[in-house]
Amino acid sequence: MWRPRLALAVVCLPLAVLMRWGAPAVDSGAPPRAEETADRPAAPRPYVVPRVAWGADEQMVREPPAYVDRVRAVVVHHTDHVNGYDCDHVPALLRGLQRDHIESEGWDDVGYQYVVDRCGTVYEGRGGDGAHTVRGAHTKGFNKETVGIAALGTFDEGTHVPRAMLDAIAAVAAWQLDPGADPHGRVRLTSTNDASRYPKGAGAAFDVITGHRAGYETDCPGDALAAKLPLLRDETERLRDAAERRRG
């Protein structure tokens, strides 16, 4: 979770294409992940705005990316930005997010693999090779086999969570989760960091689609977004089932 609030800024960066979501769109031209084969019962890849479009500073990145072999769980976050932003200003917010994660948090790059705005646009967070799932820094102790999807905003109790944002999070989860993953299921992960809720080396059971607070002492992703996790599981399963039927 990202704490400092960023002031909104007018964005002058020209963006080649920023797709807005009605229903999640398929990015048919993007390279598949290595594990996406013909028999993979995953949903299609949604369109993801690349780092070059939002102006990521690649010179700030400290280390080459590491990668996730298996995506066994999705961790949902909120970024703690103010909620009234104009979606056209999101690239500036992401550039500030990258600076904070590197300079204040001491991470190599953006912590989350994906960031979703209130209009339902998905942005590439941490940079990788475009063909494999990069390992994030979003959940201390449990980054090795998870993907972090951050909702851009603050979703404390009583806050409205836009449906476009929820649909986009579900689309990324459906695409990223491993073939055998059950969006309504549970998975056992091993902590790699004593700073998590569980000591290093301890096993812990998590929902396959879970909130940041499950593994770390935080209120993230906020009560309002945490209350939407059952809906996200339902929608993720629906997308994966629909993709499997199309394959059949």
Side-chain angles (χ1 to χ4, degrees):
M1 181 176 63
W2 184 71
R3 283 290 176 195
R5 308 288 176 110
L6 293 179
L8 298 178
V10 176
V11 180
C12 296
L13 176 72
L15 302 181
V17 179
L18 285 183
M19 289 184 64
R20 292 290 180 242
W21 293 58
V26 177
D27 182 11
S28 57
R33 293 191 298 160
E35 61 270 45
E36 282 183 347
T37 59
D39 61 351
R40 177 182 171 85
R45 183 190 197 272
Y47 179 77
V48 179
V49 177
R51 285 163 63 90
V52 66
W54 61 260
D57 186 345
E58 304 301 348
Q59 298 302 311
M60 292 181 67
V61 178
R62 292 177 171 172
E63 296 289 342
Y67 293 95
V68 173
D69 292 329
R70 301 177 62 199
V71 179
R72 301 182 65 206
V74 165
V75 182
V76 179
H77 302 258
H78 68 177
T79 64
D80 259 356
H81 285 79
V82 295
N83 292 326
Y85 56 84
D86 186 316
C87 289
D88 289 339
H89 298 164
V90 168
L93 301 182
L94 294 178
R95 293 193 294 275
L97 183 72
Q98 183 189 30
R99 285 193 300 273
D100 184 75
H101 281 190
I102 294 173
E103 295 175 356
S104 299
E105 300 293 344
W107 299 341
D108 294 336
D109 195 357
V110 178
Y112 319 115
Q113 285 98 328
Y114 302 97
V115 179
V116 177
D117 73 13
R118 66 187 185 89
C119 294
T121 302
V122 181
Y123 291 85
E124 180 183 16
R126 177 162 291 220
D129 63 7
H132 302 85
T133 300
V134 67
R135 185 183 299 179
H138 55 93
T139 305
K140 285 185 179 179
F142 298 101
N143 291 309
K144 190 175 180 181
E145 297 181 301
T146 66
V147 159
I149 307 173
L152 192 66
T154 302
F155 297 98
D156 298 331
E157 185 176 2
T159 305
H160 173 65
V161 185
R163 181 61 196 236
M165 173 178 275
L166 293 169
D167 287 346
I169 293 171
V172 176
W175 162 54
Q176 282 285 304
L177 280 170
D178 273 5
D182 176 2
H184 288 95
R186 302 269 287 172
V187 64
R188 192 165 185 83
L189 304 175
T190 301
S191 175
T192 62
N193 192 312
D194 286 330
S196 78
R197 287 187 182 271
Y198 303 90
K200 183 177 179 179
F206 294 93
D207 292 323
V208 168
I209 298 178
T210 192
H212 186 195
R213 61 179 65 175
Y216 188 71
E217 192 66 41
T218 177
D219 64 357
C220 181
D223 288 346
L225 188 50
K228 297 296 184 182
L229 290 175
L231 184 151
L232 288 174
R233 295 176 191 123
D234 289 346
E235 181 63 11
T236 299
E237 182 174 67
R238 186 191 70 77
L239 291 170
R240 286 166 68 90
D241 287 349
E244 190 168 5
R245 286 195 300 272
R246 288 194 296 270
R247 289 176 185 272

